[in-house]
Amino acid sequence: MAASIQALNYSSREVNYIAVENPGNTNSGGGGDAIDPYGQGGIICCFSVPAKWHADLKVVVKYQFYPDPTLHRETVSILPYPNGKAGDIWLIVYEDGSVGAVVSHYGPSRPEWPGKIKGYPVPTKEYRDERRKDKLKRERRSIFWKKDCCVIFIPYQMKR
């Protein structure tokens, strides 16, 4: 059965590449998405999943973290399909850097979702704070650069 490929990143690391293939058949793959930390990739077509789940169902998840050039390959088991219905294949990156895959007709926010983490990725407070600090640092550098090359940023205040 044809399935779309989706990807979730529950980690603070940027995923430069994530794809899936059948074990022992490197020409059977699909995917190739890049995902921001705590993000979701797009929908990519297509990968073939069996219409009925079976106990030894496995896939190979190929992934690479930015900026590390190492391409990792991990064989993972597919959990039973919720309600016995096949659906999209979801490639998942966990906070500890491990990966998994879920075949589900339902998304992560639905109660039927079989994944070990319920819901879509949410950035941690520490990650959000770090991003804010980086943004402020970039903005400050931009202001100082303009000052040094003859453009000075001075907030304008009107007097009444």
Side-chain angles (χ1 to χ4, degrees), residues 5-58:
I5 303 162
Q6 300 195 48
L8 301 167
N9 183 3
Y10 291 99
S11 81
S12 60
R13 299 176 73 184
E14 183 177 341
V15 177
N16 195 45
Y17 176 82
I18 190 163
V20 63
E21 64 187 35
N22 286 309
N25 185 356
T26 57
N27 292 325
S28 66
D33 218 348
I35 317 167
D36 288 332
Y38 302 104
Q40 177 182 357
I43 299 173
I44 299 175
C45 183
C46 288
F47 187 72
S48 182
V49 298
K52 292 190 182 241
W53 178 84
H54 53 85
D56 62 341
L57 184 55
K58 297 180 188 302

Side-chain angles (χ1 to χ4, degrees), residues 41-148:
I43 299 173
I44 299 175
C45 183
C46 288
F47 187 72
S48 182
V49 298
K52 292 190 182 241
W53 178 84
H54 53 85
D56 62 341
L57 184 55
K58 297 180 188 302
V59 295
V60 175
V61 178
K62 301 185 306 186
Y63 60 101
Q64 176 187 41
F65 292 114
Y66 179 82
D68 182 2
T70 307
L71 182 64
H72 304 273
R73 301 169 64 86
E74 194 169 326
T75 302
V76 298
S77 295
I78 301 291
L79 297 169
Y81 301 164
N83 300 328
K85 295 169 76 173
D88 291 347
I89 185 161
W90 296 74
L91 309 178
I92 303 167
V93 179
Y94 297 105
E95 184 63 50
D96 65 1
S98 66
V99 295
V102 167
V103 173
S104 179
H105 186 68
Y106 306 101
S109 62
R110 296 283 306 267
E112 302 90 347
W113 171 254
K116 68 180 181 181
I117 298 177
K118 308 300 183 196
Y120 287 92
V122 177
T124 62
K125 181 183 180 328
E126 294 81 12
Y127 177 80
R128 291 190 317 265
D129 289 348
E130 194 60 38
R131 298 297 298 158
R132 283 186 192 109
K133 286 179 193 172
D134 289 345
K135 182 179 178 188
L136 284 171
K137 192 184 297 182
R138 284 192 310 274
E139 288 174 353
R140 285 186 185 123
R141 277 196 306 257
S142 173
I143 291 169
F144 291 132
W145 179 82
K146 289 177 184 173
K147 179 182 172 190
D148 291 343

